Amino acid sequence: MKNFTSVYDIDNLQDIIAKALKIKDNPLENPTKGKGKTIGLVFLNSSLRTRLSSQIAAQNLGLNVLVLNAAQEAWNLEFADGTVMNGDAVEHIKDAIEVLNQYCDIIAVRCFAGMKSKEDDVNESILSQFLKHAKVPVVSLESATRHPLQSLADCITITENWPFDKLKTDRKPKVVLTWAPHIKPIAQAVGNSFTEWMQKMDVDFVITNPEGYDLDKNFTKDTPVVHNQDEALKDADFIYVKNWSSFDDYANMPNVEGDWMLTNEKLEFTNQAKVMHCLPVRRNLELSDEVMDGNNSIIYQQAKNRIFSAQVVFSEILDELN
C-alpha cells in the first residue's frame, strides 16, 4: 500500500477487515513496528475522532507523531500554481509538502471540500497537491470527495454486527444510506466514500435521499437510489444516517418535503436495523435522541473502530517501508 485515499488502494477488503479485527483484539501486539519513523498528521480542517484515533493508532505502532493544525498554526498557504504571491498567502503548498518530506516517513492530511468550486472539489485540488509533491506515502484523513478511514471503520463495524459466515446465514444484509436534514450545506465526502466501500462489500445496498440530492453518479454507479425513505428503509438491517448538499446544484440545499429525520417510528419498517452515523451529529435534526441513545445504535462502536481502521492502514504502509 503506497498511498491510502480510497477503497481502490486496497487489494482485498475482507483481508484488511480481518487484519483490523485482529489488531482490535490486541492493539499493542506490534508496539515497535514504527520505531524510528515519523508520521505527520496535517489538519486543514476541524477534527475530533480522526485526530485522536489516528494519534492512538500511530502510537500503538511506535510511530513518532507530529500533529500540525495547519489552518490555525501554519503560514497561510497558496494552492494555485503560477500565482504571484502578493496577497495573504505566505507559503506555497508545494514548498510546505517538500518540507514535510524532509521530516516525515508518512504524511496524513485532512482537507475538506471548499464548497465553492465544484471543479476544484471534484478534482481534489488540495489532496492532489499532496499526491503530486509528496515523496512519502500519503494517507487521506478525509478529502473533498472521500473519507476512506471512516468508511473502513464502517465496514469493520458492519462485519462485527452481521454473521457473514455462510454457515450461519445465506442472506446478505440490507444496508441503507439515508440522507438527513441539516442547517447548512455539507460536502458529499462521507456519502460518496461509504457508497464505494459498500459496493465492495457482500451486501444489498440502497441509497435514499430527496429529489435534488442525488450523489455524483461516478460514485453511485448502479446502486439503487430511492426518493421515498419509508420504501427504502423496509427490511433494512443497517441504516447509515448522513447529510449532504446537492451535487447537481452544487453546494446548495434544494427545498425538501416531508420529515427525513430517523426516528423509532421509522425503524418499525426495518429488520430491527442497526443505526450508524460518522459523527458529529446534530441531535434531533439529523437523528432523534431516541434513536441515537437507543439499543439499535452502534454509532460509538463505529467511533472506536476508527482507531483500528487507521492502525491497519498505517501497519500496511509500514510493511512497505520496512
Side-chain angles (χ1 to χ4, degrees):
M1 188 186 295
K2 167 60 176 172
N3 298 311
F4 180 77
T5 64
S6 78
V7 70
Y8 300 109
D9 291 317
I10 290 177
D11 292 331
N12 187 316
L13 176 55
Q14 296 307 315
D15 182 56
I16 288 292
I17 292 171
K19 288 180 178 179
L21 290 170
K22 185 174 183 293
I23 288 171
K24 186 172 183 177
D25 287 339
N26 186 4
L28 298 177
E29 184 177 3
N30 294 300
T32 62
K33 189 170 189 176
K35 184 177 181 180
K37 290 187 169 55
T38 297
I39 184 170
L41 306 178
V42 181
F43 291 91
L44 295 170
N45 301 98
S46 301
S47 179
L48 189 156
R49 280 148 297 278
T50 300
R51 181 190 309 268
L52 298 181
S53 62
S54 297
Q55 286 184 258
I56 294 167
Q59 290 166 356
N60 285 347
L61 293 166
L63 281 159
N64 180 41
V65 183
L66 302 179
V67 180
L68 176 63
N69 300 310
Q72 293 82 34
E73 299 170 353
W75 300 109
N76 289 340
L77 294 168
E78 175 62 57
F79 295 97
D81 285 331
T83 300
V84 177
M85 292 176 55
N86 57 359
D88 292 336
V90 177
E91 185 162 26
H92 199 282
I93 186 62
K94 63 184 177 183
D95 298 322
I97 295 170
E98 185 55 48
V99 172
L100 289 169
N101 285 330
Q102 313 306 312
Y103 298 160
C104 303
D105 299 283
I106 304 170
I107 299 172
V109 59
R110 165 167 270 206
C111 48
F112 289 172
M115 303 293 285
K116 295 178 181 178
S117 167
K118 184 176 185 177
E119 181 180 4
D120 283 351
D121 290 343
V122 167
N123 292 325
E124 294 285 5
S125 61
I126 298 177
L127 180 63
S128 63
Q129 295 265 23
F130 280 84
L131 293 170
K132 178 180 179 180
H133 298 294
K135 297 172 183 174
V136 300
V138 173
V139 175
S140 170
L141 302 177
E142 188 173 359
S143 68
T145 64
R146 293 179 172 97
H147 196 350
L149 285 176
Q150 177 65 57
S151 298
L152 176 52
D154 299 335
C155 291
I156 294 166
T157 307
I158 289 172
T159 299
E160 288 181 309
N161 285 276
W162 184 261
F164 280 99
D165 186 337
K166 298 303 182 183
L167 295 176
K168 297 178 181 177
T169 178
D170 290 326
R171 184 172 71 85
K172 295 180 181 181
K174 181 179 178 181
V175 180
V176 179
L177 171 64
T178 181
W179 181 91
H182 209 284
I183 63 169
K184 64 180 182 179
I186 300 294
Q188 297 94 27
V190 171
N192 289 342
S193 191
F194 185 71
T195 295
E196 283 188 327
W197 288 70
M198 287 301 101
Q199 290 164 352
K200 300 288 186 180
M201 290 280 283
D202 189 21
V203 301
D204 289 326
F205 181 54
V206 176
I207 301 171
T208 183
N209 55 257
E211 298 275 359
Y213 284 87
D214 288 1
L215 294 167
D216 183 351
K217 288 182 173 57
N218 286 320
F219 290 94
T220 59
K221 297 180 181 176
D222 295 329
T223 298
V225 179
V226 179
H227 296 130
N228 182 313
Q229 188 188 42
D230 290 347
E231 177 186 336
L233 293 179
K234 188 176 185 303
D235 298 326
D237 298 291
F238 295 89
I239 303 171
Y240 200 112
V241 179
K242 187 69 181 81
N243 174 267
W244 58 85
S245 56
S246 176
F247 178 75
D248 290 334
D249 186 15
Y250 194 68
N252 287 311
M253 300 172 66
N255 185 54
V256 174
E257 295 183 0
D259 182 7
W260 282 75
M261 183 181 73
L262 189 65
T263 62
N264 278 343
E265 183 178 357
K266 292 185 178 184
L267 285 179
E268 293 177 3
F269 292 102
T270 74
N271 185 30
Q272 298 182 342
K274 301 292 186 183
V275 178
M276 306 173 71
H277 192 289
C278 63
L279 297 175
V281 62
R282 288 181 179 261
R283 283 173 174 258
N284 301 310
L285 178 65
E286 294 178 82
L287 194 56
S288 63
D289 279 339
E290 63 182 7
V291 175
M292 183 78 186
D293 300 326
N295 293 330
N296 296 72
S297 174
I298 54 173
I299 292 169
Y300 300 128
Q301 183 180 351
Q302 278 176 274
K304 183 172 183 178
N305 283 337
R306 289 297 310 277
I307 298 170
F308 312 112
S309 66
Q311 191 165 334
V312 73
V313 168
F314 298 162
S315 180
E316 293 290 296
I317 291 174
L318 286 171
D319 284 342
E320 292 290 324
L321 294 177
N322 289 330

